[in-house]
Amino acid sequence: MNAAPEDPLARERAHLSASRAALRAMREDAQALDIRDVTANWVNAEVLRGQLDERIKALADLSHTPLFFGRLDFLHAPGAEQAEGGEGEQFYIGRRHVHDADGDPMVIDWRAPVSQPFYRASKKDPLDVGLRRRFGYTGGELTAYEDEHLTDTTEAEQVSRLLQEEIERPRVGPMRDIVATIQPEQDEIVRGGLGGSVCVQGGPGTGKTAVGLHRVAYLLYAHRERLARTGTLVIGPNRSFLHYIEQVLPALGELEVRQATVDDLVAHVEVKGVDDAAAAVVKGDARMADVLRRALRSHVTVPQEAVVVVRGSRRWRVPAYEVEEIVRELLARDMRYGAARDALPQRIAHAVLVQMERSGEAPDDRVQDAVARNTAVKAAVKAIWPPVDPAKLVLRLLSDADFLGAHADGILTPEEQKTILWARPARGVKSAKWSVADAVLIDEAADQITRTHSLGHVVLDEAQDLSPMQYRAVGRRCTTGSATVLGDLAQGTTPWATPSWDEALAHLGKADAVVEELTAGFRVPREVIAYASRLLPAIAPDLTEVSSVRQSPGSLAVRHVPDPADPAEAVLAACVESLRNEGSVGLIAADARVPVLAEALRAAGLSYLDPGEETTPDTRLTLVPASLAKGLEYDYVVLDEPAAVLTGEPDERTGLRRLYVALTRAVSGLTVVHTAPLPEALATA
Ligand SMILES: Nc1ncnc2c1ncn2[C@@H]1O[C@H](COP(=O)(O)OP(=O)(O)OP(=O)(O)O)[C@@H](O)[C@H]1O
């Protein structure tokens, strides 16, 4: 490399080539490792080989993702503990760590402590950084850089052009990472400790999903061993959404994070039925946990007879009142039903042992175990504390009015009980028409019987839509871990959508979580967010309006088409128009209008995708039912008939919220096409 030292860009390119070569060498080293000498047997060898393969994969040089995107020149050499083993004052920040043959860092992982000032340093607080340099790439080539001299008071502070370009870049393909441009307020959430839970309230496009995913990547870096053991989980609202986000973490080198919907987590039975809103609201109410607890415990019966254990020539008798005492004591303790059931035989056996000792025997633990397994003890336990199948328990509650009445008395009103009872009682668990809410009830019952395994960290996206019982289902999957809860109260579109984060967090079991608010919008252009925000007073009056960092003048068009001969014509024309631009196009419509529009698109020869499917250069148009639009974004959005979106929902507020979601999916332009009148807030000029 013979770059002229006076040409900074050439010097940076030279560092890029050298870093690439170093990464290649790291990969070759990993490939060449001979593990035969260090593994005692083939099992170890297999495990180690698997780990090595993962590492080799992680060291791949992805030509489309720049190896580094920033540089920090510190004023002083950071302490050795921060410098990742390297000394010196200049660091290149990238997606992964790269070192040279001597082990000195060429690129520092963005998650390392020394990289933090790249995201946080400002003129007000330079954090010992003299120069922050951001790099611009064109097709894998380093083509530009932008400098900020943080201690130079004469240099004007300005919005980074590279950040602007990144935000403006067309959105073809799935969601991508934002690692090069994480903003300071976002970084604070990303790098929050593993110990505490955090809840992020943020309007559309403020980067909640992006922040949640980067937070997982950060936590995995900072607490790798612990989280590898305990596991991490990202929860999203539906499959389309999970498809949309699924490549972000792998792009950041994290391949082990499970992604699921709440329905996936509670899939104990096949869901074949649908609840009406009233039934779903009651079933999703946290009081159902108390009903289940009572119903479950009703299986425990107070013993009427003594337990008689015969061993050899001797009979040992634990009188009924003593067994009753044991049972009452177990009931009084805050134990899982199953754990108490497991403890009961040992407790009875212990009572027998006490008698043996009194009569001069010296039994040991093995004798206690043997007594606990004695058929008489087993039979007594079965009669007193029978095994309960969670699905059968819920089935009985929903089928048997008397059983429900007995256990819901004083908890649910008679009307509420009637609302959730099945019109036709189910015959068995397999044939029952379980709904999504029923599956959550079964999950709750299952947890009351046997404790659910807790993960190390759970990210819950679009959290505003969960019912209290769903929050509980998520909460029990992180009882010993922490949670990142992301959502927007204004986008709550379920009948049970949460009215406040305090309430939601209490149901989740994380009442001590810190609530943060993000208000800078990175998706929706200023004009469009201002238009959508006219709905805020009606749907969430307490929330702050998003302030967009994107200008994009002329991004909003509202077209009234009076009495069209062909109801789809104007919408199709708007799609064709939008497709003339670069990037993705989403046609969002009320669910009920989707079949008609699908037919019209086909007739017009316009190919289209389903939400979450990856756009290709040939097919960039997606037909999105309004119910699936949440969390997604398109460069251009054509919104079909807002009035139909409103009438598609059970009440006005939910309708307006659904509309707010649909109006806030556009990155570059929104065209609203309508024949019916617009809702009042949008109709006024
Ligand atoms: N710091 C950033 N730099 C560049 N792009 C960003 C940044 N933060 C967010 N974005 C982009 O803004 C868009 C919106 O982000 P995201 O989907 O995470 O928002 P959200 O708050 O989850 O939105 P919604 O409420 O609609 O679900 C995405 O394209 C994301 O990549």
Side-chain angles (χ1 to χ4, degrees), residues 171 178 181 186 205-210 462 491 523 633 665:
R171 304 302 213 259
I178 59 162
T181 53
Q186 297 178 324
T206 50
K208 298 180 295 295
T209 302
E462 304 293 354
Q491 295 184 59
R523 174 195 300 135
E633 67 185 18
R665 299 303 103 198

Side-chain angles (χ1 to χ4, degrees), residues 13 29 85 123 139 155 173 185 240 269 286 310 318 326 355 405 407 417 541 574 581 589 631 644 669:
R13 284 184 177 150
D29 280 352
K123 291 232 154 163
E155 189 184 83
E185 63 277 16
S240 318
V269 287
V310 182
V318 186
I326 296 174
Q355 291 187 23
H407 302 298
Q417 293 175 32
N581 301 299

Side-chain angles (χ1 to χ4, degrees), residues 488-508:
D488 179 9
L489 296 176
Q491 295 184 59
T493 49
T494 52
W496 46 84
T498 194
S500 84
W501 289 120
D502 282 349
E503 210 177 301
L505 292 167
H507 291 309
L508 195 71

Side-chain angles (χ1 to χ4, degrees), residues 240-514:
S240 318
F241 177 83
L242 292 180
H243 276 309
Y244 170 60
I245 65 162
E246 73 190 351
Q247 290 182 29
V248 176
L249 282 165
L252 296 173
E254 299 302 345
L255 308 164
E256 300 282 295
V257 184
R258 189 178 159 211
Q259 303 189 347
T261 61
V262 175
D263 298 351
D264 294 337
L265 299 180
V266 300
H268 303 276
V269 287
E270 197 186 335
V271 170
K272 290 185 274 191
V274 196
D275 284 312
D276 59 34
V281 167
V282 179
K283 288 178 181 179
D285 193 300
R287 288 173 297 160
M288 284 306 295
D290 298 327
V291 176
L292 286 167
R293 189 170 304 111
R294 265 210 220 159
L296 177 62
R297 282 162 158 251
S298 73
H299 290 76
V300 179
T301 51
V302 174
Q304 303 296 329
E305 288 169 22
V307 180
V308 181
V309 176
V310 182
R311 277 180 63 82
S313 59
R314 303 212 50 175
R315 287 159 61 87
W316 306 96
R317 188 169 183 282
V318 186
Y321 76 85
E322 203 178 329
V323 184
E324 182 178 337
E325 235 168 65
I326 296 174
V327 169
R328 291 208 186 281
E329 197 245 321
L330 284 174
L331 278 174
R333 289 180 52 179
D334 189 22
M335 273 174 104
R336 293 290 194 283
Y337 182 92
R341 183 173 191 277
D342 292 343
L344 183 57
Q346 285 290 343
R347 296 292 176 88
I348 297 174
H350 181 74
V352 172
L353 247 69
V354 171
Q355 291 187 23
M356 287 177 172
E357 279 163 0
R358 265 195 221 124
S359 70
E361 292 191 16
D364 58 14
D365 285 355
R366 276 172 306 173
V367 177
Q368 181 165 335
D369 284 346
V371 174
R373 285 197 303 270
N374 180 286
T375 42
V377 175
K378 275 193 191 161
V381 169
K382 197 168 170 201
I384 299 167
W385 211 295
V388 176
D389 176 76
K392 283 188 186 148
L393 179 76
V394 176
L395 183 130
R396 191 166 167 209
L397 277 172
L398 300 179
S399 304
D400 179 342
D402 294 338
F403 187 65
L404 179 65
H407 302 298
D409 183 37
I411 303 177
L412 301 181
T413 64
E415 290 74 48
E416 286 173 324
Q417 293 175 32
K418 222 156 81 222
T419 308
I420 62 170
L421 271 171
W422 283 331
R424 231 175 299 135
R427 261 185 282 137
V429 168
K430 281 238 153 61
S431 59
K433 285 214 158 152
W434 297 111
S435 68
V436 166
D438 297 337
V440 180
L441 293 176
I442 296 172
D443 192 67
E444 176 83 32
D447 182 71
Q448 290 182 9
I449 296 167
T450 312
R451 186 185 296 281
T452 307
H453 171 71
S454 168
L455 299 157
H457 192 79
V458 171
V459 173
L460 175 61
D461 205 352
E462 304 293 354
Q464 71 282 342
D465 280 327
L466 267 57
S467 70
M469 288 300 278
Q470 286 177 317
Y471 281 120
R472 291 173 61 90
V474 173
R476 56 182 158 264
R477 285 167 172 84
C478 54
T479 35
T480 56
S482 52
T484 300
V485 179
L486 313 162
D488 179 9
L489 296 176
Q491 295 184 59
T493 49
T494 52
W496 46 84
T498 194
S500 84
W501 289 120
D502 282 349
E503 210 177 301
L505 292 167
H507 291 309
L508 195 71
K510 303 285 180 202
D512 56 349
V514 184

